[in-house]
Amino acid sequence: MSSQVEHTDVGAYALGLLEEGDRRAFEAHLRGCGSCQAELGELSGAAGALSGLSPAAAGPIPDGPGWEGAGEPSAPPAPVIDMMRRRRRADQRFRRGAYLAGTAAAAAALAAGIGIGAAVNDEAPAPKPPVTQALTGQKFHAADASTGASGTVALVDKGWGTQVGLELKGVRGPLKCHLEAVSRTGERSVVAGWSVPDKGYGVPGQPKPLVMQGGTGLSRQQIGHFEVRLDGGGTLLSIPL
């Protein structure tokens, strides 16, 4: 204990196991340490039950000037000395083990944080591009040189009629349009409607086409053609089948 005073040396001091330098250092520490004074008092009460312990070890806590030179305690029995030494060594091993365990835990936590950060920064999968809606079914295409519009319809027979997909290009807004299915007998059925913004669809500066889905109660065999019409009147594109 020559390097520092340890609270766990109270028992060793009570039994007179400390060397001269360590004893004087502990006595100086004892003056200002209430917890060591209390523990020494408890040990002093129990020390009387141990045969061979001196009055100095079992007596009250020393106090006042010159007390540290008030005689040396007589040596306690060898089994008690051995017990106290084992306890002191065990306490020191526990403190060292607790320190090393705490250091290892901190290092493990730091390593885990670094590993997580690396996984987030370096190993996270790149975001997938948005899935574009694709036309499925039997396809028919047409273009209108006078309006600049072009488009494709894709048809799928259903029990309730026909599922219709539309891809439209070459239109600028603002417009409001709708797609009509026209039967071979002239019957008309609105498939879907939409608005065209100023920037349009499938034109320079806005190359993405309009892609949408709709349906009609007409069967595939009944449909003669499709028309992309303006809500206010007029036809942008006709797609024959």
Side-chain angles (χ1 to χ4, degrees):
M1 199 188 68
S2 57
S3 60
Q4 61 179 355
V5 175
E6 297 179 358
H7 296 275
T8 55
D9 290 319
V10 175
Y13 172 78
L15 294 178
L17 301 180
L18 298 180
E19 298 177 358
E20 178 65 20
D22 292 340
R23 181 181 63 81
R24 292 183 180 276
F26 182 80
E27 289 171 349
H29 163 78
L30 187 63
R31 292 194 188 95
C33 183
S35 62
C36 285
Q37 292 176 11
E39 185 176 354
L40 183 59
E42 295 173 359
L43 290 177
S44 297
L50 298 175
S51 61
L53 288 182
S54 69
I61 300 172
D63 196 10
W67 64 278
E68 59 269 26
E72 297 293 334
S74 59
V80 176
I81 294 175
D82 183 60
M83 176 188 70
M84 295 304 299
R85 284 175 176 167
R86 288 200 305 271
R87 176 183 173 185
R88 187 181 181 194
R89 288 194 296 268
D91 287 342
Q92 291 172 342
R93 286 196 300 270
F94 175 79
R95 288 195 300 272
R96 287 195 299 268
Y99 172 78
L100 293 175
T103 303
L110 178 60
I114 293 174
I116 293 172
V120 171
N121 294 328
D122 299 332
E123 299 177 10
K128 296 181 179 180
V131 178
T132 56
Q133 188 176 10
L135 298 182
T136 59
Q138 187 180 13
K139 296 174 183 166
F140 301 88
H141 178 79
D144 190 314
S146 62
T147 64
S150 64
T152 301
V153 291
L155 311 180
V156 178
D157 281 330
K158 298 290 185 180
W160 46 262
T162 306
Q163 174 184 297
V164 182
L166 171 67
E167 180 183 273
L168 182 65
K169 300 179 181 179
V171 293
R172 290 188 182 275
L175 296 174
K176 287 188 176 181
C177 308
H178 61 274
L179 178 66
E180 292 184 1
V182 183
S183 73
R184 300 183 186 278
T185 62
E187 180 184 356
R188 291 180 175 269
S189 172
V190 176
V191 174
W194 64 91
S195 295
V196 179
D198 292 346
K199 58 186 179 180
Y201 293 105
V203 294
Q206 179 55 44
K208 291 183 178 180
L210 168 71
V211 180
M212 61 185 310
Q213 295 282 345
T216 175
L218 297 173
S219 68
R220 163 67 186 86
Q221 290 74 22
Q222 291 176 310
I223 301 172
H225 68 279
F226 287 89
E227 293 181 2
V228 177
R229 296 183 58 84
L230 301 175
D231 284 3
T235 301
L236 286 176
L237 179 65
S238 180
I239 306 174
L241 303 188

